[in-house]
Amino acid sequence: MSALLACLVLPLLGALAAVALPRRAVAAVLAGVVALTLVAAVGLAVAVHSGGVVRLALGGWSPPLGIALAADGLGAAFVLLTALVMAGVAAAARDEMTPQGAGPRAAFGFWPLMLLLWGALNAVFLSRDLFNLYVGIELLTLAAVALVAIGGRAEAIAAAMRYLIFALAGSLLYLAGVVLIYGAHGTLDIDLVAARDAAAPDGLALALMTAGLLVKTALFPFHVWLPPAHASAPAPASALLSALVPKASFVILLRLWFEAMPDLGTDRALLLLGVLGAAAILWGSLRALVQARLKLIVAYSTVAQLGYLFLVFPLAGGAAGAQPWTAGAWTGAIFQALSHGLAKAAMFLAAGLFMAAAGSDRLGALRGLARVMPMTAFAFALASVTLISLPPSGGFTAKYLLMTSSFAAGQWIWALVMTLGGLLTAGYLYRPMAALFAREGGEGVQTVARARQAVPLVLAGLAILLGILSAAPFDFLQIGRPEAAEEGP
Amino acid sequence: MAALSIYALTGAALVGLGFFGLLAARHLLRRVVAFNLIGSGLFLYFGAAATRGAAPDPVPQALIITGIVVALAASALAVALVVAQVRAAGRATLPEEEDAP
Amino acid sequence: MTAALGLALDAALCALILGVALAVVAGRGVFRAVVFFIVYGLLAAVAWVRLDAVNVALAEAAIGAGLTGVLLLAAHGRLRRAEAAQDLAHGMPWSAALAGGALAAALGWAWFEMPIPVEPGPELAEALPRAGVGNPVTAVLLNFRAWDTLLESIVLLAALIGVWMLAREGDWREPLGRPQHARPGGVMAGFGRVLPPVGLLVGVWLVWAGADHPGGAFQGGTVLAAVGLVAVLAGVIRPPWIGAPLWQGALVLGPAVFLLAGIAGAVLAGGFLTLPEGFAKPAIVTIEVALTVSIAVTLAFLVLGPPEAEGAG
Amino acid sequence: MADLATLLFTALGLVFFAAGTVGLIRFPDTFSRLHALTKADNLGLGFIALGVAFQAESWAQVARIALIWVLALLAAGAVAQLVARAALMRRGGA
């Protein structure tokens, strides 16, 4: 319980300190908060691993009156992912986000916003209350939009504006669903909603909430806000936005469709989600293939990689709940989210270092950088291995699980889409890779400190490690897994 | 109950109107106003739903107050973004959404 | 008042609300839309009184109509030159009309299909006496669902940092907002001197009364923010710059006290945000006072906007 | 008796509000509009406040109603001055 509490409270306290304390003190507080929260996240994972789901009724009031929190395998895994990515980004941005490096404005704003984002993510991953989740994603949205706006240039402001409009429309759709649920059932708690007597507007409520969350997860065709927003933020901010933020709304979707209202998962609805996911994989990859800037390639790649997550709905949802392949599909999708988070954070941080060295992220400017910055180029290559899903990466495990379950379910069409997606991924990542490892070029670039180059390497390495050690996380993710999908192999 | 239905349906209509405004308007400030209209209509609907029982339920009222404050926070950021957008690009619309003149 | 008369009043009010909302969405000119939105907010506040939700009416009038209106008007004042740009789309945007209409129809349908859930439930009636305050809405906000309220106060802070991120690089050290010049001895200056004491009283009273009557930290904080803004407009106080220690402290005071009280609850009373019985009332009042300070300062800063240098933009 | 007084005074107040609104719509320029609005509405609000005061249960409530009227008066006066000045400056600038 104390680890769970620390994960919620420490980032928020750190954010307040970063606003109120003088600049000199902020760095020390920051280091402490990051280290302690990382320890707490590991502690929470250990507690869940050894003792099962950790529950907490806030204020001593249990639902329906109060708000319940719970850390199951899913929640704890994402809390840990967040802590790892945050620690990496904090280490990478330490020298960049200073008044000398990025100007006093960005140096003031980045740190509290990063910590607020952290607090909001943990609040969302652990909450069991539909309205509390709304407040959590609003905090997440405002912090994320502000992180885009830090970029400061005209296109960053336009991207932040578009992001905010989409996100607010999504929030209100979600809220409309929450209102219908409370209106009909008088409760907001996910477990109590699961035990409700079905009412006619339930389907509408789920549809509204889902539509809102799809906008926030940037699933095709609601993805148009994502690439400009993620590409125009400063690199450390892009890493946070791409690796973590869409995962929050995805986790809420999982909770809705698998825990709160699995009875409403009709085949047609689940199929629609899967089709949108497949469309995202193909469209995002094709768009990534024609971009001329590295950050835009990486951003469109996020659109594509998020598509894989939605294959979990036709493969593990609804009536398919108790089939032998569902555990594989469920775990595969979460593996995909985790390994994409680590790899994408590494990629954006590497892109930031390339930009710092070459002064631009146009592919032409990156030629030959691998000879000057071998460590960063290697990190980028490792992250690419995960996204292309070559063995032994975490991405490979994810797509292997999804693919075997789609064959087992007789839905081979998803396997076809995934294969095609893998080929396209290799295609769009080949272009920056070919530029980086070109024989000529690389002269006259700024040097980047080795310590900064190490961070993306560590994150990309973790994404590979996730694949090598996939057995332990596999069991971990089953802890507290919703009943509907429990009877796996 | 009839009175509550009037308020609930008004709320529903406000949500629809606001959504129309959010999608159809080009001027960003009007889009911010439309966003506020959606929120307010949704709260009205919620408020009517909460008053159906014998005693009014205080929980929705508290949620609505929270929602109003969250909407204000979002509006403040949105309005500041509109001002910044006009300053940076000289117009109060998003780039590729301007219809051809 | 007879039931029929009440129903007629409700119907008339709702018709008025819808008419004004239509003007907000489709009326000519953005300025008109903003003004009609403020009118809309005041009408909505009346609707909340009719729905027996005075707490919400206060919040809607102060925050929904008042503060949002001021925000929009201030922004409009800066955008005058952009006004000539395109406002509404050419022709009738049918897809938007379809989406809006479908949403309204779906919610309308749901209203008649929605079952009435079991009453607020025995849990609430049983818990209220132990909540420490007599106003059930305040009990929900600061005790039963305190985590929501805590996050919400931090949402305001996130929005403020976001607004500040829109400052121009060179303006970062300037005072917040546009430089204001009230004529010394003018009407505004005089008004700015008369209002603050009265407004201060009303704001504090709203917070204090909020424990047992309608009101609370958000409504009171909004009034205090308005008082501060009038004082700034009148030139009575000068807006601070970002990083002024006292003001930064005031910004985080509320959330910090709230978080620390929550942690104290975890240590002393066995659960995060648990208020020990007997101490619930003083704990809630302490949190509310601290929250009010932070809300007032944050809201005022949100309206002032990012720092801006003299003669810029 | 109290109800009758309330009815009478609020009705009177409404008449003044109606007159002020008609003036707002019909008068030609900003200054005469302001004149109609402030005079008539302040008086109208005063009558309504008086009417409502008859329904008060304690003197404290009466005092609060009076305070509301005074505050509204103050705000209306100050805003009218500001609007008039803005109109004057626009006219001078044009």
Side-chain angles (χ1 to χ4, degrees):
Chain A
M1 192 191 96
S2 51
L4 190 155
L5 208 56
C7 290
L8 289 175
V9 170
L10 281 175
L12 296 179
L13 275 177
L16 299 181
V19 170
L21 293 182
R23 270 232 61 81
R24 294 177 309 273
V26 169
V29 170
L30 212 65
V33 166
V34 170
L36 284 176
T37 316
L38 183 58
V39 170
V42 173
L44 181 63
V46 170
V48 171
H49 186 69
S50 58
V53 181
V54 179
R55 289 177 197 283
L56 181 62
L58 289 175
W61 309 103
S62 47
L65 196 56
I67 298 169
L69 300 179
D72 50 3
L74 171 70
F78 277 97
V79 168
L80 188 57
L81 167 75
T82 305
L84 290 170
V85 172
M86 286 281 171
V89 169
R94 208 178 47 142
D95 297 328
E96 189 183 338
M97 290 296 168
T98 57
Q100 296 76 34
R105 183 177 55 88
F108 172 86
F110 179 78
W111 300 106
L113 288 172
M114 181 190 110
L115 291 168
L116 288 176
L117 200 74
W118 197 347
L121 283 163
N122 283 353
V124 169
F125 292 143
L126 300 173
S127 179
R128 304 292 298 172
D129 183 281
L130 295 177
F131 187 81
N132 185 248
L133 285 169
Y134 166 73
V135 182
I137 50 173
E138 283 298 78
L139 179 57
L140 187 69
T141 298
L142 294 192
V145 170
L147 279 170
V148 174
I150 279 187
R153 289 193 315 278
E155 70 256 30
I157 288 168
M161 186 80 236
R162 189 184 306 272
Y163 184 5
L164 187 61
I165 289 176
F166 272 87
L168 290 182
S171 304
L172 287 174
L173 286 174
Y174 174 81
L175 187 62
V178 174
V179 165
L180 290 181
I181 295 286
Y182 190 89
H185 306 293
T187 184
L188 298 160
D189 183 74
I190 287 177
D191 298 300
L192 292 178
V193 170
R196 78 202 185 282
D197 297 320
D202 288 353
L204 177 63
L206 181 62
L208 288 172
M209 287 192 279
T210 304
L213 293 169
L214 291 185
V215 174
K216 286 187 171 272
T217 318
L219 183 66
F220 179 91
F222 307 115
H223 65 281
V224 289
W225 60 264
L226 185 145
H230 288 191
S232 56
S238 307
L240 298 176
L241 296 173
S242 231
L244 301 173
V245 174
K247 310 299 193 306
S249 36
F250 175 68
V251 166
I252 303 177
L253 278 170
L254 286 182
R255 301 233 182 265
L256 288 178
W257 285 81
F258 288 89
E259 296 175 26
M261 311 167 111
D263 49 312
L264 292 176
T266 59
D267 284 349
R268 220 189 279 167
L270 294 164
L271 184 68
L272 177 66
L273 288 171
V275 167
L276 291 180
I281 296 172
L282 300 178
W283 180 246
S285 302
L286 285 171
R287 294 290 297 159
L289 212 45
V290 297
Q291 301 303 318
R293 285 177 46 205
L294 179 60
K295 281 181 86 179
L296 273 171
I297 294 178
V298 181
Y300 271 105
S301 149
T302 297
V303 173
Q305 296 287 326
L306 289 173
Y308 290 97
L309 303 179
F310 287 84
L311 301 183
V312 71
F313 293 102
L315 288 173
Q323 304 299 327
W325 59 80
T326 50
W330 165 267
T331 316
I334 298 173
F335 252 82
Q336 163 68 12
L338 299 176
S339 57
H340 171 254
L342 292 167
K344 194 47 66 75
M347 261 189 182
F348 263 120
L349 289 178
L353 294 180
F354 293 142
M355 274 176 85
S360 157
D361 70 337
R362 301 212 151 265
L363 288 186
L366 304 180
R367 292 189 72 77
L369 274 185
R371 275 184 295 140
V372 196
M373 312 167 70
M375 215 149 91
T376 312
F378 183 57
F380 191 89
L382 268 189
S384 303
V385 165
T386 290
L387 291 194
I388 303 169
S389 1
L390 300 175
S393 66
F396 169 75
T397 314
K399 275 136 206 166
Y400 174 80
L401 286 169
L402 282 170
M403 225 175 258
T404 47
S405 40
S406 67
F407 281 123
Q411 305 180 23
W412 50 267
I413 182 80
W414 308 126
L416 189 70
V417 171
M418 277 186 274
T419 315
L420 213 56
L423 289 174
L424 286 169
T425 313
Y428 67 69
L429 288 175
Y430 169 77
R431 294 171 61 232
M433 214 88 90
L436 286 172
F437 289 91
R439 283 179 191 284
E440 82 285 11
E443 295 86 16
V445 301
Q446 303 280 318
T447 49
V448 175
R450 279 192 165 261
R452 282 176 76 187
Q453 292 195 45
V455 176
L457 189 61
V458 171
L459 287 171
L462 284 173
I464 302 283
L465 207 63
L466 192 64
I468 296 174
L469 305 173
S470 52
F474 190 101
D475 293 333
F476 184 75
L477 290 174
Q478 313 304 314
I479 296 172
R481 191 159 71 84
E483 211 167 21
E486 213 152 63
E487 288 149 52
Chain B
M1 194 63 198
L4 288 183
S5 293
I6 294 178
Y7 283 106
L9 295 180
T10 302
L14 287 171
V15 173
L17 262 176
F19 225 80
F20 168 74
L22 190 67
L23 296 176
R26 286 293 163 263
H27 197 290
L28 289 168
L29 213 51
R30 198 190 281 261
R31 287 183 148 191
V32 178
V33 180
F35 156 76
N36 275 286
L37 218 51
I38 306 176
S40 178
L42 199 53
F43 297 143
L44 202 57
Y45 187 89
F46 198 12
T51 322
R52 287 177 303 163
D57 183 354
V59 174
Q61 292 194 27
L63 301 185
I64 289 166
I65 291 176
T66 304
I68 289 176
V69 176
V70 169
L72 172 77
S75 300
L77 182 55
V79 162
L81 272 168
V82 176
V83 173
Q85 161 80 13
V86 169
R87 203 176 55 200
R91 51 168 183 249
T93 50
L94 281 177
E96 54 269 48
E97 280 181 325
E98 285 192 329
D99 295 346
Chain C
M1 211 187 308
T2 59
L5 197 60
L7 201 62
L9 181 64
D10 289 329
L13 180 61
C14 284
L16 208 57
I17 287 179
L18 283 176
V20 172
L22 197 64
V24 169
V25 171
R28 205 157 38 82
V30 176
F31 181 70
R32 209 168 288 193
V34 170
V35 171
F36 272 116
F37 177 73
I38 297 172
V39 177
Y40 164 85
L42 295 175
L43 290 173
V46 179
W48 284 114
V49 176
R50 291 287 301 160
L51 284 173
D52 244 342
V54 182
N55 290 283
V56 182
L58 281 173
E60 175 80 44
I63 302 173
L67 219 51
T68 312
V70 172
L71 264 174
L72 292 166
L73 279 178
H76 184 267
R78 295 179 175 200
L79 301 184
R80 250 182 228 147
R81 268 169 299 156
E83 169 92 41
Q86 196 184 10
D87 170 13
L88 296 164
H90 291 301
M92 181 69 183
W94 288 108
S95 55
L98 196 68
L103 194 57
L107 286 177
W109 166 82
W111 169 259
F112 294 105
E113 297 292 326
M114 198 157 46
I116 299 179
V118 198
E119 288 309 292
E123 298 94 350
L124 186 75
E126 189 253 335
L128 258 183
R130 292 187 288 133
V133 283
N135 179 355
V137 176
T138 304
V140 174
L141 278 174
L142 285 157
N143 200 340
F144 306 145
R145 297 183 67 92
W147 180 230
D148 276 351
T149 310
L150 174 51
L151 284 178
E152 163 199 13
S153 67
I154 295 176
V155 168
L156 281 174
L157 186 65
L160 181 62
I161 301 174
V163 168
W164 284 353
M165 287 305 104
L166 299 166
R168 268 173 303 197
E169 208 63 65
D171 292 351
W172 183 250
R173 294 268 160 247
E174 301 291 330
L176 290 175
R178 286 198 131 178
Q180 304 289 346
H181 300 287
R183 215 162 40 92
V187 182
M188 197 61 218
F191 190 56
R193 265 169 237 287
V194 178
L195 185 70
V198 185
L200 223 58
L201 204 69
V202 174
V204 171
W205 185 76
L206 271 174
V207 181
W208 179 251
D212 296 309
H213 303 286
F218 289 101
Q219 293 91 338
T222 311
V223 171
L224 293 180
V227 169
L229 287 169
V230 169
V232 168
L233 276 176
V236 177
I237 52 174
R238 297 180 60 78
W241 59 91
I242 296 169
L246 198 65
W247 290 104
Q248 301 301 98
L251 279 180
V252 303
L253 178 72
V257 167
F258 211 153
L259 271 172
L260 293 176
I263 296 171
V267 176
L268 300 175
F272 182 53
L273 291 171
T274 302
L275 303 175
E277 238 170 291
F279 285 98
K281 169 110 188 198
I284 286 182
V285 170
T286 310
I287 293 170
E288 272 214 289
V289 168
L291 266 186
T292 307
V293 172
S294 292
I295 290 166
V297 176
T298 313
L299 292 180
F301 284 5
L302 279 175
V303 174
L304 282 176
E308 217 172 297
E310 190 100 15
Chain D
M1 188 59 210
D3 284 356
L4 193 68
T6 300
L7 213 60
L8 208 71
F9 280 117
T10 42
L12 201 59
L14 287 179
V15 170
F16 274 98
F17 263 108
T21 310
V22 169
L24 176 69
I25 297 170
R26 301 289 303 195
F27 281 169
D29 64 280
T30 312
F31 302 104
S32 41
R33 282 178 179 179
L34 272 178
H35 175 80
L37 203 60
T38 47
K39 299 297 172 304
D41 283 9
N42 285 339
L43 217 55
L45 184 66
F47 277 120
I48 289 177
L50 191 62
V52 174
F54 278 99
Q55 303 289 326
E57 285 156 11
S58 65
W59 283 105
Q61 278 192 9
V62 176
R64 260 178 263 168
I65 293 169
L67 181 68
I68 290 172
W69 184 58
V70 171
L71 283 176
L73 217 62
L74 203 67
V79 170
Q81 287 273 356
L82 291 173
V83 172
R85 181 185 311 285
L88 200 63
M89 279 166 74
R90 185 172 293 177
R91 183 188 273 179

